[in-house]
Amino acid sequence: MELENTPATEAAARATVNDYFSAIYAGDTQRLANVFSPTAMLVGWDEGELKCVTRDRWFAFVEATPSPRSLGAALDSKILHVDVFGTVAVAKVREVYRSFAYVEFLSLLWTGQRWQIVNKCYHQFKSEISSTDRERDAR
């Protein structure tokens, strides 16, 4: 399958990442299921422990946890970089979720109909770090 590297292709990958931001902010696992491949894995250091979980196990956590929106928290997520080549893309993002900030690398795959996240690899740190420090650390 061929997919041309155009501004529209990158914009579509960015739209998928923004859908992820909106869905996790709302705690909406139905919307997250549209963004994440059923086989997606999430891997990273979480509260000092290396975690590797399936998409569905993560969804159970999301469903059991009050969403940032329900707690009145502001949406604090940003796409730092997107690189697209053919049918694959990687997005480097920063987001705050509850009391932690994250830098995440999201691997996306073009399914023939849409971009889906197939892997999320992340680093977690305390969100009390200033936004300037987060930007520097994310580079």
Side-chain angles (χ1 to χ4, degrees), residues 1-3 5 9 84-89 108-112 115:
M1 154 163 283
E2 282 296 315
L3 187 66
N5 294 333
T9 304
V84 178
F85 187 86
T87 58
V88 295
L108 294 92
L109 180 71
W110 178 253
T111 67
W115 289 102

Side-chain angles (χ1 to χ4, degrees), residues 10 25 60 97 113 119 132 134:
E10 182 178 326
Y25 175 69
Y97 183 78
Q113 299 169 331
N119 186 57
T132 302
R134 275 189 258 148

Side-chain angles (χ1 to χ4, degrees), residues 15-115:
T16 298
V17 174
N18 282 318
D19 287 347
Y20 157 58
F21 290 156
S22 296
I24 192 64
Y25 175 69
D28 186 339
T29 55
Q30 287 184 350
R31 284 177 50 205
L32 286 170
N34 288 327
V35 175
F36 278 82
S37 166
T39 60
M41 297 295 295
L42 294 83
V43 180
W45 287 93
D46 195 327
E47 297 187 54
E49 183 179 331
L50 182 59
K51 303 259 176 115
C52 181
V53 298
T54 64
R55 178 196 83 158
D56 292 339
R57 185 168 163 209
W58 178 56
F59 284 2
F61 169 80
V62 171
E63 289 172 346
T65 305
S67 72
R69 183 175 71 188
S70 72
L71 298 172
L75 176 60
D76 187 1
S77 303
K78 181 178 180 182
I79 297 174
L80 302 173
H81 180 76
V82 174
D83 191 7
V84 178
F85 187 86
T87 58
V88 295
V90 64
K92 181 181 179 182
V93 305
R94 181 203 46 80
E95 74 171 315
V96 174
Y97 183 78
R98 303 183 51 81
S99 62
F100 293 98
Y102 296 84
V103 170
E104 303 168 350
F105 290 85
L106 307 173
S107 298
L108 294 92
L109 180 71
W110 178 253
T111 67
Q113 299 169 331
R114 67 180 192 260
W115 289 102

